[in-house]
Amino acid sequence: MQRYFETELLDVKNFELPKEIYKHAIVVMRAKVGDHFELVTADQKVHLMEVTAITKTAATAKEIEVFEQLTELPVETTIVCGLSKGDKAEFIVQKGTELGADHFVFFKGEYSVAKWDDKKQKKKLARLEKIALAAAEQSHRTTIPTVAYLSSLQELTLAADEKGLIAYEEAAKEGEKGALVTLLKEIKVAPKETKRPKLQAIFGPEGGLAFQEVTALEERGYIRAGLGPRIMRAETAPLYLLSSLSFALELR
Amino acid sequence: MQRYFETELLDVKNFELPKEIYKHAIVVMRAKVGDHFELVTADQKVHLMEVTAITKTAATAKEIEVFEQLTELPVETTIVCGLSKGDKAEFIVQKGTELGADHFVFFKGEYSVAKWDDKKQKKKLARLEKIALAAAEQSHRTTIPTVAYLSSLQELTLAADEKGLIAYEEAAKEGEKGALVTLLKEIKVAPKETKRPKLQAIFGPEGGLAFQEVTALEERGYIRAGLGPRIMRAETAPLYLLSSLSFALELR
């Protein structure tokens, strides 16, 4: 079923479809009166809606049912990626959203070839936010991931209740294979708070992370983790991590 | 370091670079005499080579060292995917190779919109094989995944020593979350044979698998498995599975 995000659902009996939703549901998907769609509100509730009236410029719907759905990863995950060339950022946001990431942060790494100046930054972020929204709707998430830009890794810090991981190719080469498993075990056995535990995972750009970048992060509490024995491209490693989080924390 | 595949390394002291390797290593990457590259032979051994002479049309190299490297998944994995539109097959082969898949099989599913006629099939497979080779070199694999086409799911069978899994969206919706974990536990505790255990994992096209396709597979021993609570695109689900295999079997 088609799903849309809408911060507020003011009138459950006579909900007027916002322009964007009207355009997609009525014009593109050709929904008719009586057809259903889902609306996710800011409180992460899922409202099953039925189209009640359609005109050439507007449509209304009413709520049939409201329910809660657990489609969010049990750990609030921030994917931090060095800027790479081409449309890799778009790829990471789309696939990473399907795989459950909560936040994306892109940064200009020591070895980044690409860079986003102020003007480009704004445009890029707007585009990435659109991709995150579409992927969140498609993958039936109940939140929309955020996207941000950081001009330097030095601005990055860990909150007191946050764990930090560096996907460092050299760690994998040295045969490091315990850090991620240990970290997920800690998260799994931690007492269940009302708030989800937090995880930040840092990935280099295509050229990788510089040694100084890694050691500076380590000084701030991030730990190196190997992600298996194969060399993954910059845009593949975040997907490995997110899939592993789901496998370890959502399956049983 | 640049890595190439070559079935045979006849003369370790005076290895003449095949045309393709010459073109890439010498012309594209501008390797000079004294530079190194890796050559993987059919026995999965990795040979560290040093360029010894270069002319305008040919080059030679000698072996400096030979070693074995464990970059293959501990389970021989076949990724079976319904045909989807666009370049999704290329995406699956590239990323799936980085993540360790051994074989790719594409099939025309009940709900596949795309199809490959005989002529297209040959061209597509040749292109996908090239992508698998490049990705295997890049990700430092020691084998090149195979790619095949199947005109119907009915031709698909499980070998006696092979496990089969169906990534079925409906299973995930019903909250199925034990099958994959159980399967990997079985693989993990199985006595270590000289041959790797085998796994076949089936993924629907964009439109999903038809119910009859799933039941027919189940009759032949495949089991349904949920891959977490989010809806993944057709090309994302295989990456989730491969990442989970690595996490469960290669990390500790």
Side-chain angles (χ1 to χ4, degrees):
Chain A
M1 178 154 338
Q2 200 60 46
R3 170 171 293 199
Y4 304 101
F5 283 88
E6 175 58 20
T7 39
E8 282 183 83
L9 174 55
L10 298 168
D11 183 352
V12 297
K13 290 247 158 75
N14 192 34
F15 170 72
E16 200 161 314
L17 272 62
K19 218 167 136 193
E20 284 297 308
I21 299 181
Y22 175 86
K23 235 164 75 182
H24 191 267
I26 309 297
V27 181
V28 179
M29 302 298 285
R30 297 164 192 246
K32 306 263 166 279
V33 169
D35 283 356
H36 293 171
F37 63 89
E38 288 173 352
L39 205 60
V40 184
T41 38
D43 53 6
Q44 297 193 34
K45 288 212 167 77
V46 182
H47 306 261
L48 180 64
M49 307 295 291
E50 184 178 299
V51 178
T52 47
I54 301 178
T55 72
K56 272 189 182 162
T57 53
T60 51
K62 67 173 181 198
E63 181 188 291
I64 305 261
E65 202 190 327
V66 55
F67 53 97
E68 296 194 51
Q69 204 176 33
L70 292 173
T71 55
E72 298 301 315
L73 274 178
V75 49
E76 187 178 332
T77 308
T78 304
I79 297 292
V80 184
C81 292
L83 280 186
S84 289
K85 280 181 297 180
D87 55 4
K88 285 188 197 317
E90 297 183 8
F91 172 89
I92 291 167
V93 169
Q94 186 191 66
K95 299 293 165 226
T97 298
E98 289 174 54
L99 292 167
D102 291 275
H103 311 287
F104 297 95
V105 177
F106 293 93
F107 68 93
K108 178 159 172 14
E110 192 95 357
Y111 296 154
S112 282
V113 178
K115 65 175 176 184
W116 294 353
D117 56 32
D118 285 355
K119 208 176 132 194
K120 198 167 179 183
Q121 216 184 101
K122 229 175 137 180
K123 252 175 91 175
K124 280 276 185 186
L125 289 181
R127 167 124 185 88
L128 293 175
E129 277 163 5
K130 258 195 167 164
I131 290 172
L133 170 63
E137 287 174 349
Q138 156 127 17
S139 58
H140 283 208
R141 300 276 305 266
T142 56
T143 62
I144 309 163
T146 64
V147 189
Y149 178 75
L150 214 60
S151 62
S152 154
L153 256 191
Q154 278 155 24
E155 297 170 39
L156 206 65
T157 49
L158 281 175
D161 60 342
E162 192 164 39
K163 290 187 189 292
L165 173 158
I166 316 163
Y168 187 41
E169 210 174 79
E170 299 302 321
K173 277 192 199 152
E174 288 156 14
E176 195 299 302
K177 45 184 171 177
L180 179 59
V181 174
T182 306
L183 192 146
L184 292 187
K185 269 187 195 149
E186 284 168 21
I187 288 177
K188 227 170 169 172
V189 300
K192 295 277 170 290
E193 311 271 347
T194 35
K195 272 173 67 186
R196 290 187 297 164
K198 286 182 188 167
L199 173 66
Q200 244 183 63
I202 303 181
F203 302 86
E206 273 161 339
L209 289 167
F211 183 68
Q212 315 88 274
E213 288 179 311
V214 174
T215 47
L217 286 166
E218 284 181 312
E219 279 163 20
R220 279 176 275 150
Y222 294 83
I223 55 157
R224 299 180 198 199
L227 301 180
R230 287 165 300 282
I231 313 271
M232 288 179 279
R233 281 169 201 250
E235 73 275 22
T236 312
L239 313 190
Y240 179 110
L241 177 85
L242 289 164
S243 303
S244 298
L245 290 182
S246 170
F247 175 80
L249 303 173
E250 296 185 318
L251 304 187
R252 55 131 198 272
Chain B
M1 177 153 339
Q2 200 59 47
R3 170 171 294 200
Y4 304 102
F5 283 87
E6 175 59 19
T7 38
E8 281 183 85
L9 173 56
L10 297 167
D11 183 353
V12 298
K13 291 247 157 78
N14 194 34
F15 170 72
E16 199 161 317
L17 273 60
K19 218 168 137 191
E20 284 298 307
I21 300 181
Y22 175 85
K23 234 163 77 183
H24 191 267
I26 310 297
V27 181
V28 179
M29 303 296 286
R30 296 164 192 245
K32 306 265 165 278
V33 169
D35 284 355
H36 294 170
F37 62 89
E38 288 174 351
L39 205 61
V40 184
T41 38
D43 54 6
Q44 298 192 34
K45 288 213 166 78
V46 183
H47 306 262
L48 180 64
M49 306 295 291
E50 184 178 300
V51 179
T52 48
I54 301 177
T55 73
K56 272 189 183 163
T57 53
T60 51
K62 68 173 180 199
E63 181 187 291
I64 306 259
E65 203 189 327
V66 55
F67 53 98
E68 298 196 48
Q69 203 176 31
L70 292 173
T71 54
E72 298 301 316
L73 273 179
V75 49
E76 187 178 334
T77 307
T78 304
I79 297 293
V80 184
C81 292
L83 280 187
S84 290
K85 280 180 297 179
D87 54 3
K88 285 189 197 316
E90 297 183 7
F91 172 89
I92 291 167
V93 169
Q94 186 191 66
K95 299 292 166 228
T97 298
E98 289 174 53
L99 293 167
D102 291 275
H103 312 287
F104 297 95
V105 177
F106 293 93
F107 68 93
K108 179 161 171 10
E110 192 95 359
Y111 296 154
S112 282
V113 178
K115 65 175 178 184
W116 294 355
D117 56 30
D118 286 356
K119 208 177 134 195
K120 197 167 180 183
Q121 217 184 100
K122 230 175 136 180
K123 252 175 92 175
K124 281 275 185 188
L125 289 180
R127 167 124 186 88
L128 293 175
E129 276 163 5
K130 257 195 168 166
I131 290 172
L133 170 62
E137 288 174 350
Q138 156 128 18
S139 57
H140 283 207
R141 300 276 304 266
T142 57
T143 62
I144 309 163
T146 63
V147 188
Y149 178 75
L150 214 60
S151 60
S152 153
L153 256 190
Q154 278 155 25
E155 295 171 39
L156 205 66
T157 49
L158 282 175
D161 60 342
E162 192 164 38
K163 289 184 190 293
L165 171 157
I166 315 163
Y168 187 41
E169 210 175 79
E170 298 303 320
K173 276 191 200 153
E174 288 156 15
E176 196 301 301
K177 46 185 172 177
L180 179 60
V181 174
T182 305
L183 192 145
L184 292 187
K185 270 186 195 149
E186 283 168 21
I187 288 177
K188 227 171 169 171
V189 300
K192 294 278 171 290
E193 311 271 346
T194 35
K195 271 172 69 184
R196 290 187 296 163
K198 286 181 188 169
L199 173 65
Q200 244 183 63
I202 303 180
F203 302 86
E206 271 161 341
L209 289 167
F211 182 68
Q212 314 88 275
E213 288 179 312
V214 174
T215 49
L217 286 166
E218 283 181 312
E219 278 164 21
R220 280 176 273 151
Y222 294 83
I223 55 157
R224 300 180 196 198
L227 301 180
R230 287 165 300 282
I231 313 270
M232 287 179 280
R233 280 170 201 251
E235 73 274 22
T236 311
L239 313 190
Y240 179 109
L241 178 85
L242 289 164
S243 303
S244 298
L245 290 182
S246 170
F247 176 80
L249 303 173
E250 295 185 320
L251 303 188
R252 55 131 199 272

